[in-house]
Amino acid sequence: MSPRVALVTGAARGIGAATTRRLADLGWAVLAVDLAADDPALPYGMGTLAELSTVADHPNVVARVLDVRDRAALASAVTEAEDRWGGLDAAIAAAGVIAGGVPLWEVPEAQEDAVLDTDLRGVVNLARAAIPALLRRPAPRSGRFLAVASAAATRGLPMLAAYCAAKAGVAGLVRALGVELGDSGVTANAVSPGSTDTPILAESARLYDLPAAAAFAPQQPMARLLDPTEVAAVLAFLAGPDSSGMTGSVVPVDGGLAL
């Protein structure tokens, strides 16, 4: 029996890496993609080629370097997944960046563009490239388009306005896609993580002049940071057959932050 096939963006580290590993351990074939280089517009380091290569050590994972802002590159990655494994069953948009630390009108335009273009446009780009492939699977289908939103989609976080706007856009996108996909057998859902122990949270702490990411833990009722594997476990569930009754959902995985 052929494995189910996924494409995961932002796969070098954080939630994207954890999701890639989780799916691969479950027997999925995964095309793991990442920019794997720093963005000159942003003042902190992105995932590296070495980190992406480590994720691709799994025999079920193939790594590719690309920018989710490049629509043609994403289309090529989708084609590669179809050619290599015979089709695509899930596309998971986990690539994300953060910037801010000052009021919106003071954020350098290049940083604002990096956040909006990666965190929202990158998800739209993946949807445009991947959903036609999900629909190319013969009926009855069980395709999954998934995205990583954020608790920031529903909370007004000071000095992170562009990030909040992008993540709110992701939540709205999956709701609309759920309606558009209707009874096709392909669903669209998102997870909305709270404070998760990732490089983005470390950069958030720096932007807020906090000593470390751990300073965010008390704001969550569970009084701890989430591990990326906890978010990945929910994404893996949403990618699988047991989520067949869900579409257009934004699932909090936030340690109770939204309560």
Side-chain angles (χ1 to χ4, degrees):
M1 183 176 179
S2 299
R4 286 176 64 79
V5 179
L7 188 157
V8 180
T9 71
R13 64 186 188 184
I15 292 169
T19 302
T20 298
R21 293 189 180 102
R22 177 82 175 202
L23 291 175
D25 286 345
L26 291 171
W28 287 67
V30 186
L31 190 67
V33 304
D34 199 280
L35 179 63
D38 287 346
D39 186 325
L42 298 173
Y44 71 104
M46 301 291 103
T48 66
L49 184 58
E51 288 173 314
L52 182 60
S53 297
T54 298
V55 173
D57 280 345
H58 196 291
N60 292 346
V61 177
V62 173
R64 291 290 178 265
V65 174
L66 64 81
D67 190 336
V68 296
R69 294 170 290 190
D70 185 338
R71 192 173 287 174
L74 277 174
S76 294
V78 168
T79 298
E80 178 179 354
E82 290 186 289
D83 290 346
R84 178 181 290 271
W85 293 299
L88 186 69
D89 300 291
I92 303 175
V97 300
I98 201 163
V102 293
L104 175 68
W105 52 93
E106 297 178 12
V107 174
E109 288 187 13
Q111 291 186 15
E112 178 186 285
D113 288 346
V115 171
L116 295 175
D117 290 346
T118 301
D119 294 4
L120 179 54
R121 177 63 72 181
V123 181
V124 173
N125 288 345
L126 182 62
R128 291 180 66 96
I131 289 177
L134 300 175
L135 291 169
R136 281 193 284 272
R137 285 293 205 193
R141 303 179 191 89
S142 57
R144 305 286 187 257
F145 180 81
L146 305 175
V148 177
S150 170
T154 54
R155 291 167 62 92
L157 302 180
M159 302 190 291
L160 291 176
Y163 185 76
C164 291
K167 293 302 186 177
V170 169
L173 175 69
V174 299
R175 293 189 184 103
L177 289 175
V179 177
E180 291 184 349
L181 288 163
D183 64 356
S184 67
V186 176
T187 62
N189 293 290
V191 295
S192 190
S195 295
T196 306
D197 191 10
T198 65
I200 278 183
L201 192 67
E203 175 63 5
S204 299
R206 188 189 71 81
L207 292 172
Y208 281 125
D209 292 324
L210 297 173
F216 289 109
Q219 70 181 336
Q220 300 186 152
M222 292 177 68
R224 65 172 177 84
L225 300 183
L226 294 162
D227 189 89
T229 59
E230 295 177 291
V231 183
V234 179
L235 284 166
F237 164 76
L238 291 172
D242 290 342
S243 68
S244 58
M246 301 172 64
T247 197
S249 299
V250 182
V251 182
V253 190
D254 62 5
L257 181 61
L259 297 176

